[in-house]
Every structure is written in structure tokens, then in C-alpha cells.
């Protein structure tokens, strides 16, 4: 049995979309028919990945590793503490950083985030995801409505790295500041990921639970928030539309998500 882990935005779907190419769905079903298991491995929270569950995935590594399931079994659930959430939002906002806060079931965004994104160029999968989500009103609530429910991750966008200085001083001991490496888009964007988890450790949790050696795991991604997954799996694949840095670290580069990349990679690797 092989375990296959798929990032969503820029990998399984075009950024911000919930509709995988038909070729990808066919490849996934064939892989499962051969006895393999296919998992979503994404920075999205449960609420934002939920529309994809109708396609019959075997579990998820959600919230960049903060919430991990196999079938109906929850293997790991690690939200931020209330103090960490408050410190993150306070320090980031004082630095003029635009934030979205991801809980399990709701995503909250700064009210002026859509205006900020409207001024940015296209191409970065994370920026495109949020632009799409905001324009389509995909369950992103105003930050003023945040009710204190447990949060797993903060997505950040700003114009200069020094805007993160105060937040880093307060939080870097507990959180990785994962910044995307696509500077041509006019802004910095990334995520605060708890050092207690990442996508790679999510992969390991699933593999251990199922008794599958890491050498029989496959990971597909496109951006730097896939780095730990790419470094962990037995066989790593980066999309042609992905980060140049990630491509250099991957075992294989497959065609872009818009060019049936997953289906072609599954076929080349003998997964379907």
C-alpha cells in the first residue's frame, strides 16, 4: 500500500478552486482501486477543504499539520493557545500586517484585506487562493466577528519584512514564519505555523498509524508551505507551476495543475 499526500491550491486544483481536473480525479480513483490511500495535505482549515471531501479522500493533514485524520479517526488536533492567538493578532496588526485567522470551521479576515489584495499582481498560489476566496465569499468572516474559538494558523500579508519584527520577537520561539519565495508579486505573504507540527509530521503520523514505511509515501506540492512534506515523503513531486526553490528540492517536477500534472505524474510513478 502506498500513501499519497496532495496539496490543494496550485497542486490538486487551480488556486482558490474546489474543482480538481477530471484527469486528477480519475487518477486518484485508480490509485485507490489498487489499494493505495490518498490524503489531502494542505494549509487549508477543515472549513475550506470540506468541499473537496465529496471526492472520497482517505483522510487529511489540514491546517498545515495541526489537524490530522485517517478515515473517521482524528490522529492529531493542536490549536493555538488563547494567549498565542491574542499575541499574534496584536503584534501583527501593530506592524500593519494583514491577517486571516483560521479556526477549524471558520476563517476570519481583516476587513480591508480584499482592498490590499486587489493591488497585487497575479501568480502566487497563496495570494490567488485568498483573492478567490474573498471574491467568492467562501466562508471568510470579518475579523471583528472572531469569537475566541480555537485557532490553528494565521496567514499574513504585508509589504516589508520589517513589519513582522515585533511578532517575530514575541512568537518565533513557538512558530515558524513561513514566507513564500515569490517576490515579484509586490507583497510578502506567508503563514505562522506552530512548531509543534507541520505537513511532514502530519505525513509521519498517518504513516505510523497505518503501519506504512515512509519510503512508500508520495507527496505533491507547489509552494514553500509544502517544504516539510516534500522533505519527509519517500518520493516528492513539485508542480511545474510551483516554487523554483521547491522544484530543486523535489525528486520530480511534473506538468502544471492546468496541464493534467497529477494524472501524468501518477502514471509515470505507477500509482494509478
Amino acid at each position: 500500500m502506498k500513501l499519497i499526500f496532495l496539496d490543494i491550491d496550485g497542486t490538486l486544483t487551480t488556486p482558490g478552486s474546489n474543482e480538481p481536473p477530471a484527469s486528477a480525479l480519475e487518477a486518484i480513483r485508480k490509485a485507490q482501486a489498487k489499494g493505495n490511500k490518498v490524503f489531502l495535505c494542505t494549509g487549508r482549515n477543515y472549513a475550506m477543504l470540506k468541499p473537496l471531501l465529496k471526492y472520497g479522500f482517505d483522510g487529511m493533514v489540514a491546517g498545515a499539520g495541526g489537524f490530522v485524520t485517517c478515515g473517521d479517526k482524528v490522529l492529531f488536533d493542536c490549536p493555538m493557545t488563547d494567549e498565542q492567538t491574542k499575541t499574534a493578532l496584536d503584534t501583527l496588526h501593530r506592524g500593519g500586517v494583514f491577517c486571516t485567522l483560521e479556526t477549524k470551521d471558520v476563517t476570519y479576515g481583516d476587513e480591508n484585506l480584499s482592498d490590499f489584495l486587489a493591488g497585487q499582481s497575479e501568480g502566487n498560489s497563496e495570494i490567488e487562493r485568498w483573492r478567490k476566496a474573498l471574491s467568492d465569499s467562501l466562508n471568510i468572516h470579518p475579523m471583528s466577528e472572531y469569537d475566541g474559538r480555537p485557532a490553528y494558523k494565521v496567514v499574513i500579508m504585508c509589504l516589508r519584512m520589517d513589519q513582522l519584527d515585533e511578532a517575530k520577537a514575541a512568537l518565533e520561539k513557538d512558530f515558524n514564519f513561513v514566507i513564500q519565495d515569490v517576490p515579484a508579486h509586490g507583497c510578502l505573504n506567508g503563514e505562522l505555523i506552530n512548531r509543534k507540527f507541520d505537513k511532514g509530521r502530519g505525513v509521519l503520523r498517518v504513516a505510523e498509524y497505518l503501519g506504512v514505511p515512509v519510503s512508500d509515501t508520495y507527496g505533491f506540492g507547489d509552494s514553500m508551505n509544502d517544504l516539510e512534506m516534500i522533505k519527509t515523503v519517500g518520493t516528492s513531486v513539485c508542480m511545474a507551476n510551483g516554487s523554483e526553490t521547491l522544484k530543486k528540492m523535489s525528486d520530480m517536477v511534473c506538468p502544471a495543475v492546468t496541464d493534467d500534472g497529477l494524472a501524468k505524474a501518477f502514471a509515470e510513478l505507477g500509482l494509478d
Side-chain angles (χ1 to χ4, degrees):
M1 177 171 61
K2 311 295 186 185
L3 305 182
I4 304 164
F5 296 86
L6 305 177
D7 175 53
I8 297 176
D9 297 285
T11 301
L12 176 63
T13 71
T14 55
S17 170
N18 290 318
E19 297 296 330
S23 62
L25 293 176
E26 182 180 3
I28 290 166
R29 293 185 185 115
K30 286 181 177 179
Q32 290 172 319
K34 290 178 68 172
N36 303 312
K37 293 187 180 294
V38 184
F39 296 81
L40 296 173
C41 192
T42 177
R44 290 193 192 192
N45 60 357
Y46 178 80
M48 293 191 75
L49 67 79
K50 189 175 180 180
L52 289 154
L53 296 181
K54 65 183 179 182
Y55 296 116
F57 292 96
D58 296 294
M60 70 186 78
V61 176
F67 185 71
V68 181
T69 70
C70 182
D72 295 329
K73 175 76 172 178
V74 176
L75 304 183
F76 186 71
D77 188 1
C78 184
M80 302 164 66
T81 67
D82 292 343
E83 181 180 359
Q84 287 171 335
T85 302
K86 183 179 187 305
T87 299
L89 292 178
D90 287 350
T91 57
L92 290 167
H93 284 152
R94 280 198 292 269
V97 178
F98 294 85
C99 302
T100 56
L101 183 69
E102 294 187 5
T103 70
K104 180 180 177 183
D105 300 311
V106 185
T107 298
Y108 299 90
D110 286 336
E111 283 83 342
N112 52 352
L113 180 59
S114 58
D115 294 334
F116 177 73
L117 291 183
Q120 308 307 316
S121 58
E122 299 183 359
N124 181 307
S125 70
E126 296 302 306
I127 294 177
E128 287 301 296
R129 184 185 93 177
W130 289 106
R131 191 202 310 270
K132 176 77 170 175
L134 286 162
S135 64
D136 291 352
S137 299
L138 294 181
N139 202 32
I140 296 184
H141 293 227
M143 191 69 77
S144 58
E145 294 180 7
Y146 176 54
D147 57 6
R149 69 184 67 194
Y152 292 78
K153 189 178 67 171
V154 183
V155 176
I156 53 178
M157 299 181 191
C158 58
L159 296 176
R160 305 181 317 276
M161 189 68 77
D162 62 10
Q163 291 175 262
L164 302 175
D165 286 351
E166 183 184 358
K168 282 187 171 183
L171 294 165
E172 204 162 25
K173 67 182 185 301
D174 295 323
F175 291 85
N176 285 311
F177 283 64
V178 181
I179 306 299
Q180 300 299 322
D181 66 342
V182 192
H185 299 285
C187 77
L188 297 167
N189 68 291
E191 302 167 313
L192 272 63
I193 306 294
N194 198 316
R195 292 187 185 273
K196 292 181 178 179
F197 58 76
D198 54 52
K199 287 186 176 184
R201 278 179 279 183
V203 168
L204 294 178
R205 287 184 171 101
V206 174
E208 180 180 6
Y209 176 72
L210 292 173
V212 175
V214 176
S215 58
D216 286 335
T217 62
Y218 295 73
F220 294 74
D222 74 305
S223 67
M224 289 307 289
N225 66 7
D226 297 312
L227 177 62
E228 286 79 10
M229 174 184 69
I230 291 297
K231 290 168 64 176
T232 300
V233 293
T235 301
S236 55
V237 184
C238 184
M239 311 302 290
N241 52 275
S243 158
E244 292 302 318
T245 301
L246 201 69
K247 289 177 186 177
K248 294 174 184 176
M249 302 184 71
S250 299
D251 298 316
M252 172 181 171
V253 176
C254 73
V257 61
T258 53
D259 189 26
D260 299 319
L262 282 186
K264 292 175 180 176
F266 272 43
E268 183 172 343
L269 292 167
L271 296 173
D272 62 3

